Amino acid sequence: KAGVTQTPRYLIKTRGQQVTLSCSPISGHRSVSWYQQTPGQGLQFLFEYFSETQRNKGNFPGRFSGRQFSNSRSEMNVSTLELGDSALYLCASRQQSTDTQYFGPGTRLTVL
Amino acid sequence: TQLLEQSPQFLSIQEGENLTVYCNSSSVFSSLQWYRQEPGEGPVLLVTVVTGGEVKKLKRLTFQFGDARKDSSLHITAAQTGDTGLYLCAAFANTGNQFYFGTGTSLTVIP
């Protein structure tokens, strides 16, 4: 079975721009979660989508948004980028039966 | 406050030595996962422990889930340079209905 895939792997943007990241979960997994990872804050939960609905949301500003499509693929959007948004953005798909998450390789976003 | 506390935060050891990493909480979990992450990559799942008192072995790695399902440990025997990485524990909590991650243990194995 193919793992979780994320595109692109690397992105460089400037302040004020917006960005869209994409994630394809493991086949059969309907839950997709997004995390932001920085050296200072560790892994922080952004949101989770299940069957095209946002099921849970972390403590991030409204500039961070997401959506999920009928094939379970998910996108995350960050608008009006700030320097502090530079981070590794990780997507994870969840196996419901064991409450286990499997991560993609991440998208490294650098905001200049 | 962190739901899952890991210790130690940093660990630097010589190749061939043994080490133990701890993951503690005051909450009870139905399962707990351990991941290893290399720089610039996503965390890779090592193991899921489900039953209180459970011990799982993965080659030189031994994982234990506490009897009360509140804590877990990861023991590495005869560490190798390839074990270098960030080790994270994680668990799903009904409170908040989300996964929580430990603070992480950064392990460096020196040849």
Side-chain angles (χ1 to χ4, degrees):
Chain A
K1 225 182 219 185
V4 179
T5 57
Q6 289 187 248
T7 57
R9 290 295 313 275
Y10 304 94
L11 264 180
I12 299 175
K13 293 283 187 179
T14 56
R15 277 181 299 175
Q17 288 188 307
Q18 76 163 22
V19 67
T20 299
L21 312 181
S22 181
C23 170
S24 290
I26 292 171
S27 177
H29 290 191
R30 292 159 63 193
S31 164
V32 173
S33 294
W34 288 89
Y35 294 86
Q36 181 195 67
Q37 187 177 34
T38 58
Q41 300 294 320
L43 263 163
Q44 292 191 285
F45 173 72
L46 281 156
F47 28 65
E48 180 194 8
Y49 284 87
F50 181 84
S51 293
E52 301 177 67
T53 302
Q54 188 181 86
R55 185 153 75 169
N56 203 356
K57 189 177 191 306
N59 192 23
F60 277 81
R63 299 186 296 109
F64 292 82
S65 63
R67 57 178 176 168
Q68 187 179 33
F69 302 94
S70 57
N71 62 357
S72 294
R73 189 177 71 85
S74 177
E75 286 182 348
M76 190 192 97
N77 185 274
V78 188
S79 62
T80 321
L81 284 165
E82 301 177 359
L83 294 179
D85 296 333
S86 294
L88 182 66
Y89 288 89
L90 293 161
C91 164
S93 75
R94 177 176 163 189
Q95 183 176 46
Q96 300 284 139
S97 59
T98 60
D99 270 339
T100 299
Q101 290 190 114
Y102 297 85
F103 284 87
T107 295
R108 169 69 64 185
L109 172 65
T110 302
V111 182
L112 303 175
Chain B
T1 53
Q2 285 280 139
L3 197 66
L4 291 166
E5 295 283 351
Q6 277 185 249
S7 61
Q9 190 177 355
F10 298 97
L11 196 51
S12 182
I13 62 170
Q14 293 290 135
E15 200 169 24
E17 290 184 345
N18 302 332
L19 66 113
T20 302
V21 176
Y22 299 93
C23 176
N24 296 303
S25 178
S26 56
S27 299
V28 176
F29 301 108
S30 57
S31 67
L32 187 142
Q33 292 82 42
W34 284 94
Y35 295 85
R36 185 169 76 92
Q37 184 180 23
E38 298 194 18
E41 298 291 331
V44 174
L45 179 69
L46 295 173
V47 78
T48 297
V49 286
V50 178
T51 308
E54 180 178 7
V55 176
K56 277 192 174 177
K57 292 197 174 194
L58 192 68
K59 296 183 182 177
R60 293 175 295 101
L61 278 59
T62 302
F63 304 85
Q64 186 161 8
F65 201 14
D67 291 340
R69 291 183 288 127
K70 292 182 179 182
D71 52 80
S72 181
S73 64
L74 156 60
H75 181 80
I76 301 179
T77 304
Q80 299 175 356
T81 55
D83 295 328
T84 292
L86 179 69
Y87 288 82
L88 294 158
C89 63
F92 182 81
N94 290 324
T95 317
N97 195 31
Q98 64 175 265
F99 282 90
Y100 290 88
F101 284 81
T103 43
T105 295
S106 180
L107 171 65
T108 302
V109 181
I110 303 164

